[in-house]
Amino acid sequence: MHKFRLSLLFILGFTVAHAQEYRGSLIPAKIVQRSIMVGGGVNGAYRSIQNQSGHSSVSGSKKQFDGQGRFGYFVINDLALGALGTVSHTSVKMDGANANPTTHILVGPFARYFLNNGIFGEASYGIGIQNVSDSQKRDLSEARAGIGYSLFLNPKVAIEPAILFTYYKEKNPASPGHHYTEIGPSLNLGLQVYLFRERSLNK
């Protein structure tokens, strides 16, 4: 009888430990409707630049560091829509010129969809204005799309590495024929908190 009780306690303990394990990062990342995600991330990139002005063009490169803030709401299971804000510090080096550091802010919508294994796809679009001087400003736009993975530290907090493909455009309203674009990949590392979040092993 004593051995039976010990065996029962062992089985119960294993079951509880196993259940707790599935409440951690190993459980499929199924996020139900009406959950909320709040967080941010950092992003670094190196991109090539083509500056087009009339019939002439100049090539160069750009180093960029971003800080992001994100708020999303799951409108259906696994699909979140929300707002993304980015503060971006850049250093641009064009051929034949010195480096030019600038800082700007972009805001816009984003969408993210999760698979049950924790992989997600995300797309975003942001717009902003950069004041170069009192008499000159530039209209900014940026589109990003890519994939990432949510590594859950506990049922509500996740570290999220991602690789994103970025298309960035900058226009000068005072010179309609002048603009430049950037295209290239970037790496992102984010930290997200999921509020009122539930998981289910089955659809």
Side-chain angles (χ1 to χ4, degrees), residues 22-92:
Y22 274 89
R23 288 290 295 171
S25 63
L26 298 181
I27 193 170
K30 174 70 173 178
I31 304 178
V32 299
Q33 186 179 12
R34 294 188 298 275
S35 294
I36 295 173
M37 59 182 293
V38 180
V42 293
N43 178 287
Y46 178 88
R47 304 189 187 112
S48 63
I49 296 173
Q50 189 71 28
N51 193 349
Q52 185 72 37
S53 181
H55 297 290
S56 64
S57 64
V58 180
S59 299
S61 62
K62 177 179 180 180
K63 298 177 183 178
Q64 180 174 336
F65 178 82
D66 298 341
Q68 298 175 336
R70 178 184 286 104
F71 177 86
Y73 180 79
F74 285 83
V75 293
I76 60 174
N77 290 350
D78 296 333
L79 176 62
L81 303 178
L84 176 68
T86 302
V87 178
S88 180
H89 179 76
T90 63
S91 178
V92 177

